[in-house]
Amino acid sequence: MKVLVIGPGGREHAIVRSLLADPNVSEVHAAPGNAGISKLVPTHAVDASDPDAVAALASRLTVDLVVVGPEAPLAAGVSDAVRAAGIPVFGPSMAAAQLEASKAFAKEVMAEAGVPTAMAKVAGNAEEAADALDTFGAPYVVKDDGLAAGKGVVVTNNRDEALAHAQSCFDAGGTVVIEEFLDGPEVSVFVLCDGRDTVALSPAQDFKRIFDNDEGPNTGGMGAYTPLDWAPEGLVQEVIDRVAQPTVNQMAHRGTPFVGVLFVGLALTSRGTRVIEFNVRFGDPETQAVLARLKTPLGGLLMAAAKGELDKVQPLRWSKESAVAVVVAAENYPGSPRTGDRIRGLKKVEAIEGVHVIHAGTKLDAEGKVVSAGGRVLAVVALGTDLVEARERAYDGVELVQLEGGQFRTDIGGKAARGEIKVTTPGAAPATTKAKA
C-alpha cells in the first residue's frame, strides 16, 4: 500500500511514523511535511489546502490512500477532490467537515442526534452576546464559530473580556457560540468512522493553556498523555453509544456521511459526560501520544475506514505502557512566535530509552540544519512502564532540547501521576480516583 499524508505538523509526523511501522505499507509520501518528516519520507511542496493540487499529486504518485491531517484542507474540500479522482481518502468531505468548521452546525447535529452537550446560544452581535452571557453566567465560554486552530475559545470570569472576544469575532465578520461552563476533567477520544461504523481509540488528556496550572491563553495544545487510568469504566463504550454512533447515523441521514476521525472533546461533569466540541481530524498533540501506544497497524485501519470496512476490523491492540507528549513551543507563542532559530540536541533526546521527537513547526535552512518555523516547534514523546516513568523520560528529553526562547509546561500528566484527578459521579460527592501509576 502506498500512502500520501497531507499536512505540515506534528500530527502528520506521528501518522507518517506509524504508517512506516505497518508491514503492509510499502511507501509513504507527505505534502508539504516538515524537517522531521522529510528525514523519513519524500516530501512534496504542495499547498495542502488546494484540492486540485492535492488530487493531482495523489494521482501522479499513484497512491492507494490519501490521509488528510489538518482541518483547513478538509474544510476546503481536499477530500472531495481526491475522492473524485477515484482514490480512497481518510478524511471527511467538505460538507461533513462542517462539524468542526462551524460550531453552530455541530450543535445542530448534536441536538438532532440527542448527543449530550453544553447548552449554547449563537450570537451575531454585541447585544445577542451580552444576552447569552447573562443567560449562562460565569465562567463565561465564548467560541469563535469558525476554524481557529484551537485558539478561538475564551473561558473567563471577566464579562468584559468575554464580550471583547465576541466583538473581535464580529469585527472579523464571524459569529460566536456562547455556552454554559462545563466542570470536571476533560478527555479526548478519537473515533474512526467509515460513514456507517465506528471504532474508538484509547482516550487521552491534553493541556490547552500555555502555562502550568492551566494559566494563560489557549493554544493548539501543549502536551498530552494516555491511557487515563482514572477515567470511569465504560467511558469509551459510552462515547460510542451516546455520541459517536448517533452523530455518524445523523450525518448519514443528512446525506453527508462522515468518513475519517471524529475527535470528541469531552468534559466529565457532575451531571454526566458532556461533549465540549467536535473536531474532524486527529488532535494535536494527543495523536503523538495515542499512536505511540497503538500496536494495530495504522495503514490497514485508515484504509478500512476509507473503504467502509471498519466492521471487518479486529479489536485494537495497545501497548501496556503509558505515553506522554510534551510540546516545546517558540518564544512568544501563542502570540507572534519567534521563528528561524536553530534547534539542537535532538539526537541526544532520541538516545534516551523509549523516547522520540515529533517535529511540528520545523524546517531545514539553507545549510540543511533544523530550525524553528512555527509556534509549536516539536514534541518529545516518551513511553514508560507507567505514567511516572513516561513523564520522567519525556522531561529528561525536553531538557536536552536547545531552542533559544523555547518554552514548555512542566505539569503534563502531573496530577494524574500523583492520583489527583477528580471525577464526580452524577448525584454523588466528588471523589478522587487514584491512578495506577
Side-chain angles (χ1 to χ4, degrees):
M1 183 195 314
K2 188 190 294 188
V3 186
L4 171 62
V5 177
I6 302 300
R11 160 187 46 234
E12 289 75 43
H13 189 182
I15 292 170
V16 165
R17 192 174 180 274
S18 290
L19 288 172
L20 290 173
D22 185 336
N24 291 316
V25 173
S26 57
E27 197 174 326
V28 179
H29 292 254
N34 58 39
I37 294 173
S38 67
K39 291 187 177 182
L40 297 176
V41 302
T43 57
H44 306 268
V46 166
D47 180 352
S49 293
D50 183 333
D52 292 337
V54 172
L57 175 64
S59 297
R60 188 168 74 249
L61 294 174
T62 62
V63 298
D64 303 296
L65 174 68
V66 173
V67 179
V68 184
E71 59 273 27
L74 294 168
V78 164
S79 291
D80 302 79
V82 174
R83 284 194 184 93
I87 301 170
V89 57
F90 182 81
S93 65
M94 180 192 292
Q98 287 296 300
L99 281 175
E100 177 170 2
S102 170
K103 293 175 178 61
F105 175 82
K107 286 291 186 183
E108 182 181 306
V109 172
M110 282 189 254
E112 293 171 351
V115 171
T117 186
M119 292 185 291
K121 288 189 172 186
V122 178
N125 57 51
E127 183 179 351
E128 292 174 352
D131 178 67
L133 291 174
D134 294 339
T135 296
F136 297 126
Y140 304 107
V141 181
V142 183
K143 299 181 176 181
D144 186 342
D145 185 40
L147 294 178
K151 291 173 282 191
V153 181
V154 165
V155 181
T156 179
N157 285 305
N158 186 315
R159 187 174 181 276
D160 290 339
E161 183 182 348
L163 275 174
H165 178 62
Q167 189 60 53
S168 70
C169 296
F170 301 147
D171 292 344
T175 57
V176 295
V177 174
I178 295 175
E179 298 182 351
E180 63 171 327
F181 176 76
L182 297 177
D183 62 346
E186 296 185 11
V187 175
S188 301
V189 181
F190 301 148
V191 183
L192 306 183
C193 309
D194 67 3
R196 182 183 66 248
D197 293 308
T198 55
V199 175
L201 304 189
S202 176
Q205 186 175 57
D206 80 328
F207 296 74
K208 286 295 187 194
R209 304 279 187 155
I210 185 67
F211 301 128
D212 285 4
N213 302 312
D214 296 324
E215 296 180 356
N218 268 345
T219 71
M222 292 300 293
Y225 68 94
T226 184
L228 310 182
D229 291 335
W230 50 264
E233 187 175 350
L235 175 63
V236 171
Q237 193 59 50
E238 180 186 8
V239 171
I240 289 293
D241 293 343
R242 299 190 63 202
V243 179
Q245 196 62 55
T247 300
V248 168
N249 292 346
Q250 185 61 34
M251 292 297 284
H253 178 72
R254 281 171 160 257
T256 53
F258 188 90
V259 177
V261 175
L262 184 65
F263 171 175
V264 182
L266 301 165
L268 307 187
T269 80
S270 55
R271 294 183 292 117
T273 303
R274 296 288 185 273
V275 174
I276 300 171
E277 65 178 358
F278 285 146
N279 292 324
V280 297
R281 36 71 193 182
F282 284 114
D284 186 336
E286 297 99 322
T287 300
Q288 289 85 310
V290 171
L291 292 187
R293 294 186 57 245
L294 181 65
K295 291 295 187 184
T296 300
L298 182 63
L301 278 177
L302 303 188
M303 181 63 91
K307 288 189 168 183
E309 298 175 351
L310 279 179
D311 59 329
K312 300 177 183 177
V313 168
Q314 297 296 311
L316 303 188
R317 295 180 291 110
W318 297 93
S319 165
K320 293 181 179 179
E321 294 180 298
S322 291
V324 174
V326 179
V327 170
V328 177
E331 181 179 347
N332 200 39
Y333 178 75
S336 300
R338 170 176 167 168
T339 59
D341 290 302
R342 277 285 305 278
I343 306 167
R344 295 178 171 86
L346 300 183
K347 289 182 179 178
K348 292 181 180 179
V349 177
E350 298 212 325
I352 301 173
E353 183 181 357
V355 176
H356 62 273
V357 175
I358 294 291
H359 290 242
T362 67
K363 68 178 182 180
L364 299 178
D365 66 10
E367 299 176 4
K369 305 295 186 182
V370 178
V371 299
S372 61
R376 291 184 297 165
V377 179
L378 56 86
V380 176
V381 183
L383 290 166
T385 54
D386 56 24
L387 186 55
V388 172
E389 183 177 64
R391 289 189 77 248
E392 288 175 352
R393 288 176 172 178
Y395 281 107
D396 285 347
V398 168
E399 293 294 340
L400 294 175
V401 176
Q402 298 177 43
L403 172 65
E404 189 169 346
Q407 55 178 325
F408 60 91
R409 284 183 58 157
T410 66
D411 62 347
I412 305 301
K415 287 185 177 180
R418 296 188 298 272
E420 296 175 358
I421 303 287
K422 294 182 179 180
V423 179
T424 303
T425 302
T432 300
T433 303
K434 287 290 183 183
K436 298 173 185 176

PDB file of all heavy atoms in Angstrom, residues 44-78:
ATOM      1  N   HIS A  44       6.632  16.771  -0.707  1.00  0.00           N
ATOM      2  CA  HIS A  44       6.253  17.476  -1.925  1.00  0.00           C
ATOM      3  C   HIS A  44       5.714  18.857  -1.571  1.00  0.00           C
ATOM      4  O   HIS A  44       4.842  18.986  -0.703  1.00  0.00           O
ATOM      5  CB  HIS A  44       5.204  16.670  -2.693  1.00  0.00           C
ATOM      6  CG  HIS A  44       5.625  15.258  -2.973  1.00  0.00           C
ATOM      7  ND1 HIS A  44       6.269  14.897  -4.137  1.00  0.00           N
ATOM      8  CD2 HIS A  44       5.531  14.131  -2.220  1.00  0.00           C
ATOM      9  CE1 HIS A  44       6.535  13.593  -4.095  1.00  0.00           C
ATOM     10  NE2 HIS A  44       6.096  13.109  -2.944  1.00  0.00           N
ATOM     11  N   ALA A  45       6.225  19.880  -2.233  1.00  0.00           N
ATOM     12  CA  ALA A  45       5.856  21.269  -1.933  1.00  0.00           C
ATOM     13  C   ALA A  45       4.519  21.612  -2.577  1.00  0.00           C
ATOM     14  O   ALA A  45       4.447  22.293  -3.601  1.00  0.00           O
ATOM     15  CB  ALA A  45       6.947  22.213  -2.426  1.00  0.00           C
ATOM     16  N   VAL A  46       3.461  21.136  -1.967  1.00  0.00           N
ATOM     17  CA  VAL A  46       2.109  21.380  -2.469  1.00  0.00           C
ATOM     18  C   VAL A  46       1.314  22.105  -1.389  1.00  0.00           C
ATOM     19  O   VAL A  46       1.468  21.825  -0.201  1.00  0.00           O
ATOM     20  CB  VAL A  46       1.421  20.036  -2.823  1.00  0.00           C
ATOM     21  CG1 VAL A  46      -0.068  20.208  -3.014  1.00  0.00           C
ATOM     22  CG2 VAL A  46       2.039  19.453  -4.081  1.00  0.00           C
ATOM     23  N   ASP A  47       0.478  23.029  -1.796  1.00  0.00           N
ATOM     24  CA  ASP A  47      -0.421  23.712  -0.875  1.00  0.00           C
ATOM     25  C   ASP A  47      -1.447  22.691  -0.378  1.00  0.00           C
ATOM     26  O   ASP A  47      -2.286  22.219  -1.156  1.00  0.00           O
ATOM     27  CB  ASP A  47      -1.113  24.874  -1.581  1.00  0.00           C
ATOM     28  CG  ASP A  47      -2.078  25.637  -0.675  1.00  0.00           C
ATOM     29  OD1 ASP A  47      -2.327  25.182   0.462  1.00  0.00           O
ATOM     30  OD2 ASP A  47      -2.583  26.685  -1.116  1.00  0.00           O
ATOM     31  N   ALA A  48      -1.384  22.365   0.911  1.00  0.00           N
ATOM     32  CA  ALA A  48      -2.248  21.329   1.468  1.00  0.00           C
ATOM     33  C   ALA A  48      -3.727  21.663   1.354  1.00  0.00           C
ATOM     34  O   ALA A  48      -4.576  20.770   1.384  1.00  0.00           O
ATOM     35  CB  ALA A  48      -1.886  21.073   2.932  1.00  0.00           C
ATOM     36  N   SER A  49      -4.067  22.944   1.226  1.00  0.00           N
ATOM     37  CA  SER A  49      -5.470  23.359   1.153  1.00  0.00           C
ATOM     38  C   SER A  49      -5.964  23.615  -0.269  1.00  0.00           C
ATOM     39  O   SER A  49      -7.034  24.181  -0.466  1.00  0.00           O
ATOM     40  CB  SER A  49      -5.679  24.613   2.011  1.00  0.00           C
ATOM     41  OG  SER A  49      -5.494  24.312   3.380  1.00  0.00           O
ATOM     42  N   ASP A  50      -5.172  23.193  -1.256  1.00  0.00           N
ATOM     43  CA  ASP A  50      -5.559  23.330  -2.662  1.00  0.00           C
ATOM     44  C   ASP A  50      -6.079  21.973  -3.149  1.00  0.00           C
ATOM     45  O   ASP A  50      -5.292  21.071  -3.450  1.00  0.00           O
ATOM     46  CB  ASP A  50      -4.356  23.770  -3.496  1.00  0.00           C
ATOM     47  CG  ASP A  50      -4.705  23.998  -4.969  1.00  0.00           C
ATOM     48  OD1 ASP A  50      -5.663  23.370  -5.468  1.00  0.00           O
ATOM     49  OD2 ASP A  50      -3.997  24.785  -5.628  1.00  0.00           O
ATOM     50  N   PRO A  51      -7.393  21.787  -3.216  1.00  0.00           N
ATOM     51  CA  PRO A  51      -7.951  20.481  -3.565  1.00  0.00           C
ATOM     52  C   PRO A  51      -7.418  19.906  -4.877  1.00  0.00           C
ATOM     53  O   PRO A  51      -7.043  18.726  -4.939  1.00  0.00           O
ATOM     54  CB  PRO A  51      -9.456  20.747  -3.649  1.00  0.00           C
ATOM     55  CG  PRO A  51      -9.686  21.920  -2.747  1.00  0.00           C
ATOM     56  CD  PRO A  51      -8.468  22.772  -2.928  1.00  0.00           C
ATOM     57  N   ASP A  52      -7.362  20.730  -5.925  1.00  0.00           N
ATOM     58  CA  ASP A  52      -6.924  20.227  -7.225  1.00  0.00           C
ATOM     59  C   ASP A  52      -5.458  19.816  -7.198  1.00  0.00           C
ATOM     60  O   ASP A  52      -5.073  18.798  -7.797  1.00  0.00           O
ATOM     61  CB  ASP A  52      -7.152  21.282  -8.308  1.00  0.00           C
ATOM     62  CG  ASP A  52      -8.627  21.540  -8.571  1.00  0.00           C
ATOM     63  OD1 ASP A  52      -9.436  20.642  -8.272  1.00  0.00           O
ATOM     64  OD2 ASP A  52      -8.968  22.630  -9.065  1.00  0.00           O
ATOM     65  N   ALA A  53      -4.630  20.604  -6.491  1.00  0.00           N
ATOM     66  CA  ALA A  53      -3.201  20.301  -6.431  1.00  0.00           C
ATOM     67  C   ALA A  53      -2.950  19.002  -5.672  1.00  0.00           C
ATOM     68  O   ALA A  53      -2.112  18.184  -6.078  1.00  0.00           O
ATOM     69  CB  ALA A  53      -2.448  21.455  -5.765  1.00  0.00           C
ATOM     70  N   VAL A  54      -3.682  18.801  -4.581  1.00  0.00           N
ATOM     71  CA  VAL A  54      -3.513  17.566  -3.806  1.00  0.00           C
ATOM     72  C   VAL A  54      -3.988  16.359  -4.610  1.00  0.00           C
ATOM     73  O   VAL A  54      -3.310  15.318  -4.662  1.00  0.00           O
ATOM     74  CB  VAL A  54      -4.274  17.658  -2.470  1.00  0.00           C
ATOM     75  CG1 VAL A  54      -4.261  16.304  -1.753  1.00  0.00           C
ATOM     76  CG2 VAL A  54      -3.658  18.722  -1.568  1.00  0.00           C
ATOM     77  N   ALA A  55      -5.129  16.492  -5.271  1.00  0.00           N
ATOM     78  CA  ALA A  55      -5.644  15.378  -6.075  1.00  0.00           C
ATOM     79  C   ALA A  55      -4.695  15.041  -7.218  1.00  0.00           C
ATOM     80  O   ALA A  55      -4.468  13.857  -7.524  1.00  0.00           O
ATOM     81  CB  ALA A  55      -7.032  15.726  -6.619  1.00  0.00           C
ATOM     82  N   ALA A  56      -4.116  16.076  -7.838  1.00  0.00           N
ATOM     83  CA  ALA A  56      -3.170  15.844  -8.934  1.00  0.00           C
ATOM     84  C   ALA A  56      -1.924  15.127  -8.431  1.00  0.00           C
ATOM     85  O   ALA A  56      -1.408  14.212  -9.089  1.00  0.00           O
ATOM     86  CB  ALA A  56      -2.789  17.178  -9.580  1.00  0.00           C
ATOM     87  N   LEU A  57      -1.424  15.535  -7.265  1.00  0.00           N
ATOM     88  CA  LEU A  57      -0.244  14.874  -6.696  1.00  0.00           C
ATOM     89  C   LEU A  57      -0.545  13.419  -6.371  1.00  0.00           C
ATOM     90  O   LEU A  57       0.259  12.520  -6.688  1.00  0.00           O
ATOM     91  CB  LEU A  57       0.196  15.616  -5.430  1.00  0.00           C
ATOM     92  CG  LEU A  57       1.350  14.965  -4.648  1.00  0.00           C
ATOM     93  CD1 LEU A  57       2.620  14.947  -5.485  1.00  0.00           C
ATOM     94  CD2 LEU A  57       1.580  15.706  -3.325  1.00  0.00           C
ATOM     95  N   ALA A  58      -1.694  13.157  -5.769  1.00  0.00           N
ATOM     96  CA  ALA A  58      -2.066  11.784  -5.427  1.00  0.00           C
ATOM     97  C   ALA A  58      -2.162  10.911  -6.676  1.00  0.00           C
ATOM     98  O   ALA A  58      -1.722   9.752  -6.682  1.00  0.00           O
ATOM     99  CB  ALA A  58      -3.388  11.778  -4.660  1.00  0.00           C
ATOM    100  N   SER A  59      -2.704  11.482  -7.742  1.00  0.00           N
ATOM    101  CA  SER A  59      -2.818  10.733  -8.998  1.00  0.00           C
ATOM    102  C   SER A  59      -1.451  10.477  -9.611  1.00  0.00           C
ATOM    103  O   SER A  59      -1.168   9.370 -10.091  1.00  0.00           O
ATOM    104  CB  SER A  59      -3.701  11.504  -9.985  1.00  0.00           C
ATOM    105  OG  SER A  59      -5.018  11.639  -9.495  1.00  0.00           O
ATOM    106  N   ARG A  60      -0.596  11.511  -9.589  1.00  0.00           N
ATOM    107  CA  ARG A  60       0.743  11.367 -10.167  1.00  0.00           C
ATOM    108  C   ARG A  60       1.574  10.318  -9.441  1.00  0.00           C
ATOM    109  O   ARG A  60       2.335   9.563 -10.055  1.00  0.00           O
ATOM    110  CB  ARG A  60       1.454  12.719 -10.151  1.00  0.00           C
ATOM    111  CG  ARG A  60       2.780  12.727 -10.911  1.00  0.00           C
ATOM    112  CD  ARG A  60       3.321  14.117 -11.126  1.00  0.00           C
ATOM    113  NE  ARG A  60       3.871  14.696  -9.904  1.00  0.00           N
ATOM    114  CZ  ARG A  60       3.347  15.701  -9.229  1.00  0.00           C
ATOM    115  NH1 ARG A  60       2.208  16.254  -9.654  1.00  0.00           N
ATOM    116  NH2 ARG A  60       3.906  16.173  -8.148  1.00  0.00           N
ATOM    117  N   LEU A  61       1.408  10.257  -8.110  1.00  0.00           N
ATOM    118  CA  LEU A  61       2.160   9.291  -7.311  1.00  0.00           C
ATOM    119  C   LEU A  61       1.528   7.908  -7.328  1.00  0.00           C
ATOM    120  O   LEU A  61       2.106   6.958  -6.801  1.00  0.00           O
ATOM    121  CB  LEU A  61       2.254   9.780  -5.854  1.00  0.00           C
ATOM    122  CG  LEU A  61       3.065  11.053  -5.599  1.00  0.00           C
ATOM    123  CD1 LEU A  61       2.926  11.483  -4.141  1.00  0.00           C
ATOM    124  CD2 LEU A  61       4.536  10.844  -5.951  1.00  0.00           C
ATOM    125  N   THR A  62       0.341   7.797  -7.908  1.00  0.00           N
ATOM    126  CA  THR A  62      -0.449   6.555  -7.941  1.00  0.00           C
ATOM    127  C   THR A  62      -0.571   5.923  -6.553  1.00  0.00           C
ATOM    128  O   THR A  62      -0.316   4.730  -6.367  1.00  0.00           O
ATOM    129  CB  THR A  62       0.142   5.520  -8.938  1.00  0.00           C
ATOM    130  OG1 THR A  62       1.468   5.146  -8.512  1.00  0.00           O
ATOM    131  CG2 THR A  62       0.182   6.079 -10.345  1.00  0.00           C
ATOM    132  N   VAL A  63      -0.968   6.744  -5.582  1.00  0.00           N
ATOM    133  CA  VAL A  63      -1.108   6.234  -4.218  1.00  0.00           C
ATOM    134  C   VAL A  63      -2.407   5.457  -4.068  1.00  0.00           C
ATOM    135  O   VAL A  63      -3.361   5.632  -4.837  1.00  0.00           O
ATOM    136  CB  VAL A  63      -1.055   7.375  -3.171  1.00  0.00           C
ATOM    137  CG1 VAL A  63       0.296   8.071  -3.221  1.00  0.00           C
ATOM    138  CG2 VAL A  63      -2.184   8.371  -3.353  1.00  0.00           C
ATOM    139  N   ASP A  64      -2.436   4.587  -3.076  1.00  0.00           N
ATOM    140  CA  ASP A  64      -3.625   3.781  -2.791  1.00  0.00           C
ATOM    141  C   ASP A  64      -4.528   4.440  -1.750  1.00  0.00           C
ATOM    142  O   ASP A  64      -5.699   4.083  -1.629  1.00  0.00           O
ATOM    143  CB  ASP A  64      -3.198   2.404  -2.274  1.00  0.00           C
ATOM    144  CG  ASP A  64      -2.301   1.682  -3.260  1.00  0.00           C
ATOM    145  OD1 ASP A  64      -2.789   1.374  -4.359  1.00  0.00           O
ATOM    146  OD2 ASP A  64      -1.112   1.459  -2.943  1.00  0.00           O
ATOM    147  N   LEU A  65      -3.965   5.381  -0.987  1.00  0.00           N
ATOM    148  CA  LEU A  65      -4.727   6.021   0.084  1.00  0.00           C
ATOM    149  C   LEU A  65      -4.146   7.409   0.355  1.00  0.00           C
ATOM    150  O   LEU A  65      -2.925   7.588   0.374  1.00  0.00           O
ATOM    151  CB  LEU A  65      -4.641   5.184   1.367  1.00  0.00           C
ATOM    152  CG  LEU A  65      -5.276   5.775   2.634  1.00  0.00           C
ATOM    153  CD1 LEU A  65      -6.797   5.842   2.496  1.00  0.00           C
ATOM    154  CD2 LEU A  65      -4.893   4.950   3.864  1.00  0.00           C
ATOM    155  N   VAL A  66      -5.029   8.382   0.557  1.00  0.00           N
ATOM    156  CA  VAL A  66      -4.622   9.716   0.994  1.00  0.00           C
ATOM    157  C   VAL A  66      -5.169   9.942   2.396  1.00  0.00           C
ATOM    158  O   VAL A  66      -6.348   9.683   2.665  1.00  0.00           O
ATOM    159  CB  VAL A  66      -5.151  10.807   0.037  1.00  0.00           C
ATOM    160  CG1 VAL A  66      -4.861  12.205   0.601  1.00  0.00           C
ATOM    161  CG2 VAL A  66      -4.523  10.657  -1.337  1.00  0.00           C
ATOM    162  N   VAL A  67      -4.300  10.399   3.307  1.00  0.00           N
ATOM    163  CA  VAL A  67      -4.690  10.715   4.681  1.00  0.00           C
ATOM    164  C   VAL A  67      -4.550  12.220   4.869  1.00  0.00           C
ATOM    165  O   VAL A  67      -3.452  12.759   4.757  1.00  0.00           O
ATOM    166  CB  VAL A  67      -3.801   9.970   5.699  1.00  0.00           C
ATOM    167  CG1 VAL A  67      -4.207  10.335   7.128  1.00  0.00           C
ATOM    168  CG2 VAL A  67      -3.885   8.466   5.481  1.00  0.00           C
ATOM    169  N   VAL A  68      -5.668  12.894   5.117  1.00  0.00           N
ATOM    170  CA  VAL A  68      -5.642  14.343   5.291  1.00  0.00           C
ATOM    171  C   VAL A  68      -5.549  14.656   6.780  1.00  0.00           C
ATOM    172  O   VAL A  68      -6.436  14.283   7.555  1.00  0.00           O
ATOM    173  CB  VAL A  68      -6.894  15.007   4.690  1.00  0.00           C
ATOM    174  CG1 VAL A  68      -6.784  16.525   4.802  1.00  0.00           C
ATOM    175  CG2 VAL A  68      -7.060  14.596   3.227  1.00  0.00           C
ATOM    176  N   GLY A  69      -4.483  15.355   7.178  1.00  0.00           N
ATOM    177  CA  GLY A  69      -4.245  15.616   8.588  1.00  0.00           C
ATOM    178  C   GLY A  69      -4.985  16.806   9.157  1.00  0.00           C
ATOM    179  O   GLY A  69      -5.830  16.662  10.044  1.00  0.00           O
ATOM    180  N   PRO A  70      -4.729  18.030   8.694  1.00  0.00           N
ATOM    181  CA  PRO A  70      -5.274  19.230   9.339  1.00  0.00           C
ATOM    182  C   PRO A  70      -6.725  19.518   8.947  1.00  0.00           C
ATOM    183  O   PRO A  70      -7.255  18.986   7.969  1.00  0.00           O
ATOM    184  CB  PRO A  70      -4.358  20.356   8.826  1.00  0.00           C
ATOM    185  CG  PRO A  70      -3.248  19.682   8.088  1.00  0.00           C
ATOM    186  CD  PRO A  70      -3.769  18.365   7.636  1.00  0.00           C
ATOM    187  N   GLU A  71      -7.328  20.437   9.719  1.00  0.00           N
ATOM    188  CA  GLU A  71      -8.722  20.790   9.485  1.00  0.00           C
ATOM    189  C   GLU A  71      -8.926  21.693   8.274  1.00  0.00           C
ATOM    190  O   GLU A  71      -9.935  21.573   7.566  1.00  0.00           O
ATOM    191  CB  GLU A  71      -9.319  21.457  10.729  1.00  0.00           C
ATOM    192  CG  GLU A  71      -8.631  22.723  11.210  1.00  0.00           C
ATOM    193  CD  GLU A  71      -7.472  22.473  12.164  1.00  0.00           C
ATOM    194  OE1 GLU A  71      -6.846  21.394  12.096  1.00  0.00           O
ATOM    195  OE2 GLU A  71      -7.181  23.373  12.960  1.00  0.00           O
ATOM    196  N   ALA A  72      -7.985  22.609   8.004  1.00  0.00           N
ATOM    197  CA  ALA A  72      -8.187  23.573   6.915  1.00  0.00           C
ATOM    198  C   ALA A  72      -8.347  22.892   5.546  1.00  0.00           C
ATOM    199  O   ALA A  72      -9.259  23.248   4.783  1.00  0.00           O
ATOM    200  CB  ALA A  72      -7.053  24.594   6.893  1.00  0.00           C
ATOM    201  N   PRO A  73      -7.497  21.915   5.181  1.00  0.00           N
ATOM    202  CA  PRO A  73      -7.710  21.236   3.897  1.00  0.00           C
ATOM    203  C   PRO A  73      -9.045  20.506   3.822  1.00  0.00           C
ATOM    204  O   PRO A  73      -9.673  20.450   2.758  1.00  0.00           O
ATOM    205  CB  PRO A  73      -6.533  20.245   3.824  1.00  0.00           C
ATOM    206  CG  PRO A  73      -5.487  20.826   4.709  1.00  0.00           C
ATOM    207  CD  PRO A  73      -6.236  21.486   5.823  1.00  0.00           C
ATOM    208  N   LEU A  74      -9.497  19.958   4.950  1.00  0.00           N
ATOM    209  CA  LEU A  74     -10.787  19.264   4.958  1.00  0.00           C
ATOM    210  C   LEU A  74     -11.922  20.248   4.703  1.00  0.00           C
ATOM    211  O   LEU A  74     -12.826  19.983   3.911  1.00  0.00           O
ATOM    212  CB  LEU A  74     -10.984  18.550   6.295  1.00  0.00           C
ATOM    213  CG  LEU A  74     -10.014  17.395   6.562  1.00  0.00           C
ATOM    214  CD1 LEU A  74     -10.086  16.948   8.016  1.00  0.00           C
ATOM    215  CD2 LEU A  74     -10.303  16.223   5.635  1.00  0.00           C
ATOM    216  N   ALA A  75     -11.854  21.395   5.387  1.00  0.00           N
ATOM    217  CA  ALA A  75     -12.887  22.416   5.192  1.00  0.00           C
ATOM    218  C   ALA A  75     -12.845  22.996   3.784  1.00  0.00           C
ATOM    219  O   ALA A  75     -13.859  23.492   3.276  1.00  0.00           O
ATOM    220  CB  ALA A  75     -12.717  23.526   6.223  1.00  0.00           C
ATOM    221  N   ALA A  76     -11.662  22.910   3.134  1.00  0.00           N
ATOM    222  CA  ALA A  76     -11.508  23.434   1.774  1.00  0.00           C
ATOM    223  C   ALA A  76     -11.966  22.440   0.707  1.00  0.00           C
ATOM    224  O   ALA A  76     -12.013  22.780  -0.479  1.00  0.00           O
ATOM    225  CB  ALA A  76     -10.049  23.819   1.529  1.00  0.00           C
ATOM    226  N   GLY A  77     -12.268  21.200   1.106  1.00  0.00           N
ATOM    227  CA  GLY A  77     -12.764  20.218   0.153  1.00  0.00           C
ATOM    228  C   GLY A  77     -11.714  19.340  -0.484  1.00  0.00           C
ATOM    229  O   GLY A  77     -11.953  18.739  -1.538  1.00  0.00           O
ATOM    230  N   VAL A  78     -10.551  19.214   0.163  1.00  0.00           N
ATOM    231  CA  VAL A  78      -9.490  18.367  -0.397  1.00  0.00           C
ATOM    232  C   VAL A  78      -9.957  16.921  -0.530  1.00  0.00           C
ATOM    233  O   VAL A  78      -9.697  16.260  -1.539  1.00  0.00           O
ATOM    234  CB  VAL A  78      -8.208  18.471   0.456  1.00  0.00           C
ATOM    235  CG1 VAL A  78      -7.239  17.336   0.133  1.00  0.00           C
ATOM    236  CG2 VAL A  78      -7.520  19.814   0.235  1.00  0.00           C
TER     237      VAL A  78
END
